[in-house]
Amino acid sequence: MKVTEGGYDRHMKVRIGISTTNKLLELEVEDAESFKEEIERAVAEGGLGWFTDAKGRTVGIPATSVAFIEVEDSGEGHAVGFAPAM
C-alpha cells in the first residue's frame, strides 16, 4: 500500500530491533503490507529477510535476531515548538 497525499509519496518508517545487539535498524518502505508479509515469512521459515528501502539501501535481517518491529506512518506530523498539541 503506497500512501499518496497531495501528489507526494509518503513512506512508512520501519524500526527493527536486533536481539543480539543493541542496534536498531530504521528503514523507509513504500509498501508496509509487503514488508510485513516478507518479515512474517522469514520468521516462519527461520530464514533471512532481504529488504530494499525507499532510498535504495538493501539490508539482510536474520529472522532469529529480530527483537521487535515498529511501523510508523512518516506522514504523521511531529510536534515542534511550545504550542499545545492539537
Side-chain angles (χ1 to χ4, degrees):
M1 169 177 126
K2 191 172 186 178
V3 180
T4 304
E5 180 179 294
Y8 295 99
D9 294 334
R10 287 192 346 207
H11 299 111
M12 305 292 167
K13 286 188 180 180
V14 177
R15 292 180 194 89
I16 304 169
I18 306 299
S19 61
T20 55
T21 69
N22 61 354
K23 187 155 179 110
L24 178 69
L25 296 175
E26 187 170 308
L27 305 171
E28 287 186 16
V29 297
E30 293 180 354
D31 189 345
E33 292 305 315
S34 292
F35 174 83
K36 289 177 188 178
E37 291 172 6
E38 180 66 27
I39 199 75
E40 287 174 7
R41 185 173 25 257
V43 168
E45 296 172 359
L48 184 68
W50 284 98
F51 306 97
T52 301
D53 75 356
K55 295 180 181 179
R57 296 176 294 194
T58 301
V59 178
I61 303 168
T64 56
S65 298
V66 174
F68 69 89
I69 299 169
E70 179 181 295
V71 179
E72 172 187 321
D73 182 352
S74 63
E76 295 175 354
H78 296 285
V80 177
F82 299 101
M86 304 244 173

